[in-house]
Amino acid sequence: MYSQGLIGADSSTTESEEFLAAFQSRIDREEKIEPNDPMPEGYRRTLVRQIGQHAHSEIVGMLPEGNWIARAPTLRRKMALLAKVQDEGGHGLYLYSAAETLGVSREQMTEELLAGKAKYSSIFNYPTLTWADIGAIGWLVDGAAIMNQIPLCRCSFGPYARAMIRVCKEESFHQRQGYEIMMELAKGSEEQKEMAQDALNRWWWPSLMMFGPHDSDSQHGDQSMAWKIKRFSNDQLREKFINATVPQAKFIGLSVPDPDLQWNAEKQGYDHGEIDWSEFKAVVSGEGQMNRDRIRDRNKAHDDGAWVREAALAHAQKRANKQHIPQEAAE
Amino acid sequence: MAAPDNDANHTAFRALLELADDCLVLGHRLSEWCGHAPTLEEDLALANMGLDLLGQARALYAHAGEIEGKGRSEDDLAFLRRERDYRNCLLVERPNGDFAVTMLRQLYFAAFMEPYWRDIAESSTDADLRGIAAKAQKEMAYHLRHAGEWVIRLGDGTGESAAHMAAAATELHRYTGELFMASPVRTEAVAAGLLPDPENLREAWDDTIATVFRTAKLTAPEVRVHQKGGRDGLHGEDMGHLLAELQFMQRAYPGLSW
């Protein structure tokens, strides 16, 4: 799960106008750009950054939900949650592979994440406090991710677009699963209803922030739109999300924690209250409640596993050497 | 219903619980790795194996609940018993430790359960159990292969990994004897044809482990005293903490639907 609005790659590029024009006309003809095709350096850089951030978001995103696997309330929920978090890991793997087609290794990208240099979705720097948070994340966070990722299925870069098709199918399942958890809570006991409402209260605004800054404050949107990496602006996607989600909340009797939320008949959409951008900036710059914990946990897993990875390599080398001897003898 | 049937059902119920508890507890342990494995690929594999075991547990609890006939669901059985009523063997509740401990625990368990499920699928008098076993046997064959490969890689990897593997064997080997000890209820289930005798598998298990250890350049530690007690509900200190997490929601919010 991921949304746009981080990226921040330098899309400036130094190729000749002729080269750029030829590339742009391929984009305009809706041709997919493949890894070995000529492409502007700025295009490559933007995609490496975006796909890397997307992959990191999947991996870091395993932690907040993983926090509830051991405490899931039923065996069915436990399996569904474990399978869901496993899916996120699979998305990460898939996306790292897509990024590798652009000439960057998974190891390099991982190093950046562990050093705290790479960004990932701000949403995963909030803690999961109750079981209802698992419902709210599936419903809202995966819901927001889908809004962003459906258009990415038409992204101009072929491997990314194709990866998104499968990822979206799974995210859509996660979103329905999360909503189903919320629905069950909302029709349950008073305590369960409170738990659901509390989770919605805490996750609503951070979910809206997932779409990134207002279009007027978004620095790199235009070039990404022209290259058809992005198809919609941050604000357009945020509006789509709000319009889809508010009726879902109403349907199960939960209230969206925004007193300024109002249906606007003229634009056929909701007007909403002001987002606290200072909170967004703090979380993106590493000052969210869980930023340090998330990176610490990723580093711990990486460090604890170092001897395992070294052993796997050493063993593979031993095997290769053994197999090599008879081959040489045969020659 | 006549008394002998009740006795038979009671035996079957308790014998199935032993199997189900093994699957639940080991599945829970594997799920604790999620997001913390040495590689991303292994994160996916550990989750897969955990899901297999939890799936087996669900099928077994559901079936046991039907046999018991008191309306207890899979969740009632999985979440709402006291610690002394869980009948899993001690091996599966051992903490994850490092990756060597987790993989060796998996190898020991799978090397027993893969042929045990195969025997159950072929010979049990209970058709439903034969169905559960046929599926579980295929899953455990994968666990056996996956864990065996890792034990070999780590045993014959670097000096450091070999030391981790040797320490894991020292820690866990003494829990393997319990796999073959038939509890009174399992002895009754064997006599009734519900389950095969686990003792029959000892030689095959020894061969499997010896083959893996030889390839991994590992030595099986000498075990002076085999640990046991799980089948009598006598667990280790870690079990209560596992259950505290596992049961948290059901205990904190009793009787609700999730």
Side-chain angles (χ1 to χ4, degrees), chain A residues 11-211:
Chain A
S11 59
S12 66
T13 208
T14 56
E15 291 81 4
S16 70
E17 297 222 352
E18 197 184 355
F19 178 87
L20 291 173
F23 182 75
Q24 190 62 48
S25 68
R26 286 196 66 194
I27 299 278
D28 293 342
R29 286 197 301 273
E30 298 285 335
E31 285 178 21
K32 287 280 178 258
I33 308 300
E34 297 300 335
N36 293 328
D37 293 350
M39 64 181 82
E41 202 39 45
Y43 179 83
R44 180 190 301 275
R45 224 170 22 236
T46 302
L47 277 165
V48 164
R49 183 73 69 97
Q50 176 164 343
I51 300 172
Q53 286 176 0
H54 193 159
H56 296 327
S57 301
E58 303 284 356
I59 300 308
V60 177
M62 295 171 80
L63 297 171
E65 290 182 280
N67 183 39
W68 276 89
I69 293 170
R71 290 176 290 171
T74 67
L75 290 180
R76 173 173 166 260
R77 293 290 185 204
K78 194 183 190 70
M79 286 186 72
L81 180 57
L82 179 55
K84 187 203 170 194
V85 179
Q86 183 193 36
D87 281 350
E88 310 294 359
H91 297 172
L93 200 53
Y94 222 45
L95 286 159
Y96 282 130
S97 302
E100 284 187 321
T101 67
L102 290 163
V104 58
S105 71
R106 199 207 304 185
E107 287 72 20
Q108 278 171 276
M109 288 183 275
T110 302
E111 288 300 324
E112 284 190 14
L113 175 68
L114 296 176
K117 288 183 197 155
K119 298 261 187 265
Y120 55 86
S121 190
S122 56
I123 196 81
F124 302 119
N125 293 313
Y126 293 84
T128 49
L129 304 181
T130 72
W131 171 250
D133 290 27
I134 299 307
I137 289 178
W139 173 34
L140 302 174
V141 176
D142 290 71
I146 291 166
M147 288 293 164
N148 180 48
Q149 288 172 182
I150 294 283
L152 283 175
C153 297
R154 293 187 291 128
C155 167
S156 58
F157 186 57
Y160 195 27
R162 289 189 290 271
M164 279 307 106
I165 292 170
R166 171 176 164 169
V167 167
C168 280
K169 282 183 189 158
E170 293 182 349
E171 297 290 22
S172 162
F173 184 70
H174 299 166
Q175 195 267 347
R176 278 177 282 162
Q177 189 172 283
Y179 188 60
E180 196 229 335
I181 291 177
M182 294 302 266
M183 207 189 275
E184 192 72 26
L185 295 174
K187 68 175 190 204
S189 72
E190 277 311 308
E191 260 176 324
Q192 285 174 308
K193 279 180 212 162
E194 273 172 33
M195 194 189 279
Q197 183 62 55
D198 171 61
L200 174 57
N201 293 348
R202 284 181 289 109
W203 291 95
W204 175 254
W205 292 105
S207 298
L208 298 190
M209 292 174 200
M210 284 176 71
F211 295 95

Side-chain angles (χ1 to χ4, degrees), chain B residues 9-23 57 59-65 67-68 117 120 124 126 129 132 185-186 189 194-195:
Chain B
N9 283 351
H10 189 56
T11 297
F13 170 72
R14 289 187 305 146
L16 289 174
L17 277 192
E18 287 186 358
L19 292 172
D21 288 347
D22 281 355
C23 297
L60 289 164
Y61 284 130
H63 186 43
I67 289 174
E68 188 194 33
W117 284 128
I120 294 172
S124 175
D126 179 337
L129 183 60
I132 295 169
V185 69
R186 192 168 297 194
L194 180 70
L195 294 176

Side-chain angles (χ1 to χ4, degrees), chain A residues 59 62-63 66-83 85-90 92-94 96 106 130-132 180-181 184-185 187-189 191-192 195 297-298 300-302 304-312 314-316 318-319 322, chain B residues 24 27-28 30-32 34-41 43-52 54-55 57-58 61 74-75 78-79 98-100 149-150 152-158 160-162 164-165 215 217 242 244-250 252-253 256-258:
Chain A
I59 300 308
M62 295 171 80
L63 297 171
N67 183 39
W68 276 89
I69 293 170
R71 290 176 290 171
T74 67
L75 290 180
R76 173 173 166 260
R77 293 290 185 204
K78 194 183 190 70
M79 286 186 72
L81 180 57
L82 179 55
V85 179
Q86 183 193 36
D87 281 350
E88 310 294 359
L93 200 53
Y94 222 45
Y96 282 130
R106 199 207 304 185
T130 72
W131 171 250
E180 196 229 335
I181 291 177
E184 192 72 26
L185 295 174
K187 68 175 190 204
S189 72
E191 260 176 324
Q192 285 174 308
M195 194 189 279
D297 287 357
R298 286 310 315 155
K300 185 174 187 313
H302 189 76
D304 289 352
W307 65 270
V308 176
R309 296 189 300 274
E310 284 161 18
H315 182 77
K318 285 182 193 178
R319 284 214 169 163
K322 267 187 208 159
Chain B
L24 171 67
H28 182 93
L30 291 179
S31 81
E32 291 172 348
C34 191
H36 306 282
T39 67
L40 193 44
E41 286 81 354
D43 244 326
L44 305 188
L46 287 161
N48 250 353
M49 295 193 292
L51 285 166
D52 286 343
L54 292 170
R58 285 185 72 183
Y61 284 130
E74 60 180 45
D75 289 326
F79 293 94
D98 62 17
F99 192 67
E149 282 172 0
W150 268 111
I152 290 169
R153 261 183 222 121
L154 297 177
D156 186 22
T158 62
E160 187 183 4
S161 69
H164 279 275
M165 243 11 275
T215 317
K217 299 178 179 162
L242 182 152
E245 274 204 300
L246 176 80
Q247 298 185 339
F248 165 68
M249 289 294 290
Q250 291 281 349
Y253 304 94
L256 300 180
S257 168
W258 301 97

